[in-house]
Amino acid sequence: MLGAATAEQRSCSMTVNRLAVLAVFLLAACGPADTNAPTDPAAPIDTPEADAPPPTPPPGVGSIMPGSGPQTFVGRWAANAGWCANPQGPERPIEITTTRFEGYENSCGILSISQVSDGYEAVLACAAEGQTSSERIRMAVHGESMRLTWLNRNNAVISLARCPVPAAASAAVPAP
C-alpha cells in the first residue's frame, strides 16, 4: 500500500511539474509584442474611415481643419530653393515636425500648437548658442509655400518653399 501511495505522489508531482513548465511557456508567449520604436512611424490604419477623404470645412472656416493640419507644415522649408540640398550651414532648410522646429544654430521644441483661421500658431522653447528663449510663430501653408510669421518679433514674415523629399527618404516610404 505504501508503494502505491508513493507512486501516486510521484505521478501527482510530475503532473504539477508539467503544469508549471507549461505555465512558464504560456507566460513567455505573453511577452512584448512586435511594436515599432518611438521614433518609427506607426503602421497605417486600414479602415474605411481612415481611407475617407478629409471633411469639407463649413463656409467661412478656411481650408485647414483639425486633424488635417500637421501634414501641411511638417517637412523641410527654405527661403531659397537652392538651400534645400544643403544639410548644414546658414543656408540650409528649416526642418519642422509635429514636435520640433530645427534651424541654423537653433533647436526648438514645440510646446503647443493651436489652429487659427489661416494656419497654426505654435509656442517654441528654443536653445541657440547657449541661450534659451521662447518664440511664438504662425505657420500658414498654401500649396508648396509657407508664410512663417514670428509673432514676438514684430510680426516679421518669412516666405518659405517646401523642399522636395530627398530621393533616399522617398524610396524608404512605400507608395499608397
Side-chain angles (χ1 to χ4, degrees):
M1 185 112 155
L2 187 57
T6 304
E8 187 177 327
Q9 286 175 341
R10 230 181 291 138
S11 173
C12 183
S13 176
M14 287 180 16
T15 302
V16 169
N17 287 341
R18 287 183 188 145
L19 288 174
V21 169
L22 180 61
V24 168
F25 283 121
L26 289 174
L27 288 174
C30 293
D34 291 334
T35 57
N36 56 308
T39 55
D40 292 341
I45 298 172
D46 190 20
T47 64
E49 294 83 9
D51 293 334
T56 304
V61 170
S63 62
I64 299 177
M65 296 287 289
S68 67
Q71 66 266 26
T72 63
F73 62 80
V74 168
R76 297 170 62 244
W77 300 87
N80 178 317
W83 298 358
C84 289
N86 300 338
Q88 57 190 6
E91 296 177 343
R92 71 177 189 105
I94 295 170
E95 295 186 42
I96 304 172
T97 70
T98 56
T99 60
R100 304 289 308 161
F101 186 98
E102 303 287 337
Y104 176 67
E105 293 185 344
N106 67 1
S107 178
C108 305
I110 298 176
L111 299 178
S112 66
I113 299 176
S114 302
Q115 182 180 358
V116 295
S117 63
D118 63 341
Y120 286 84
E121 288 185 3
V123 176
L124 311 176
C126 301
E129 299 178 355
Q131 302 293 317
T132 59
S133 65
S134 178
E135 301 281 353
R136 290 181 45 242
I137 60 170
R138 178 179 299 127
M139 299 172 284
V141 176
H142 301 285
E144 297 299 303
S145 64
M146 177 191 295
R147 178 181 167 99
L148 179 65
T149 306
W150 295 91
L151 300 173
N152 55 339
R153 295 186 189 178
N154 294 322
N155 291 327
V157 174
I158 301 171
S159 294
L160 302 169
R162 186 184 302 273
C163 293
V165 176
S170 64
V173 177

